[in-house]
Amino acid sequence: MNRISWHQYFMAQSHLLALRSTCTRLAVGATIVRDKRIIAGGYNGSIAGGDHCIDKGCYVIDNHCVRTIHAEMNAILQCAKFGVPTSGAEIYVTHFPCLQCCKSIIQAGIKAVYYAKDYKNHPYAVELFQQAGVIVEHVPLEQESMDPASRDKKELVDELIKEIASLSSDQEKHQLFKEKAERLFK
């Protein structure tokens, strides 16, 4: 059995945290790591005890939900709340950090940002990370990290789609199944 890499391990953790998100617009997870140990995690959601977007809807001002605390901020604030230093740590995030989170990451002394998906990457955030000497690296989540059997599942689905194609003359239906399978295993 092959072990997953540290990058994939921590990125998988961030994707798991994103499943706790209460934001209906975008689910994001963040994991702060120091010396290969998780020191905090966060997801985007409302203040403790507050109304959540999934219950009350998003509270949008200037095209931004103000009800939500971003995953990166929640993780950084968790460190602050429990007295855990963030200086020299790394953060793994499911999506590229917004400009405000970028500034908070820099101020927290975090030395590296690893993100899985591009999301409105603000040029000024990129510039600020460079100025501060923060390493920024795109680390896409590999499905095998979350599900070791995903490759076998994809092969089985591909075989089934080929079998359907050989048994049916409905090419439109075949193409539809093929597209659905491609989206499923992205």
Side-chain angles (χ1 to χ4, degrees):
M1 178 175 116
N2 292 331
R3 293 169 58 180
I4 64 173
S5 70
W6 286 111
H7 278 322
Q8 289 302 308
Y9 174 74
F10 296 126
M11 194 57 76
Q13 177 68 33
S14 293
H15 278 80
L16 243 121
L17 283 162
L19 296 175
R20 291 279 307 151
S21 172
T22 60
C23 179
T24 57
R25 298 176 80 192
L26 183 69
V28 179
T31 304
I32 300 178
V33 175
R34 188 178 34 259
D35 300 325
K36 305 273 188 274
R37 300 290 179 260
I38 296 170
I39 60 172
Y43 53 86
N44 55 335
S46 300
I47 61 167
D51 293 331
H52 292 277
C53 298
I54 57 174
D55 299 322
K56 300 281 186 169
C58 290
Y59 184 9
V60 179
I61 298 174
D62 296 330
N63 202 27
H64 186 77
C65 180
V66 296
R67 189 183 309 275
T68 300
I69 301 168
H70 290 187
E72 302 93 326
M73 283 302 303
N74 265 328
I76 291 168
L77 291 168
Q78 187 180 72
C79 286
K81 183 176 182 178
F82 295 106
V84 178
T86 53
S87 184
E90 303 168 316
I91 190 166
Y92 288 80
V93 190
T94 56
H95 296 77
F96 189 87
C98 73
L99 184 55
Q100 296 306 317
C101 287
C102 158
K103 293 188 283 185
S104 296
I105 288 166
I106 292 166
Q107 287 300 97
I110 293 173
K111 68 177 182 178
V113 175
Y114 302 103
Y115 68 98
K117 296 176 187 171
D118 288 307
Y119 182 74
K120 300 180 181 178
N121 302 26
H122 198 286
Y124 189 51
V126 173
E127 182 183 329
L128 287 174
F129 280 139
Q130 288 172 344
Q131 283 178 14
V134 174
I135 296 164
V136 177
E137 187 178 329
H138 182 224
V139 179
L141 178 70
E142 297 168 5
Q143 283 303 118
E144 292 82 32
S145 299
M146 297 290 278
D147 180 5
S150 66
R151 185 172 286 133
D152 294 334
K153 291 175 184 178
K154 182 178 179 352
E155 288 175 9
L156 175 63
V157 168
D158 289 345
E159 284 179 43
L160 291 170
I161 289 171
K162 285 178 186 173
E163 185 67 26
I164 289 169
S166 70
L167 297 173
S168 172
S169 60
D170 188 347
Q171 290 301 312
E172 193 174 300
K173 193 174 209 174
H174 171 254
Q175 186 61 32
L176 182 66
F177 283 132
K178 192 174 177 179
E179 289 170 6
K180 282 183 176 180
E182 286 171 7
R183 282 193 306 271
L184 184 65
F185 292 102
K186 246 184 179 174

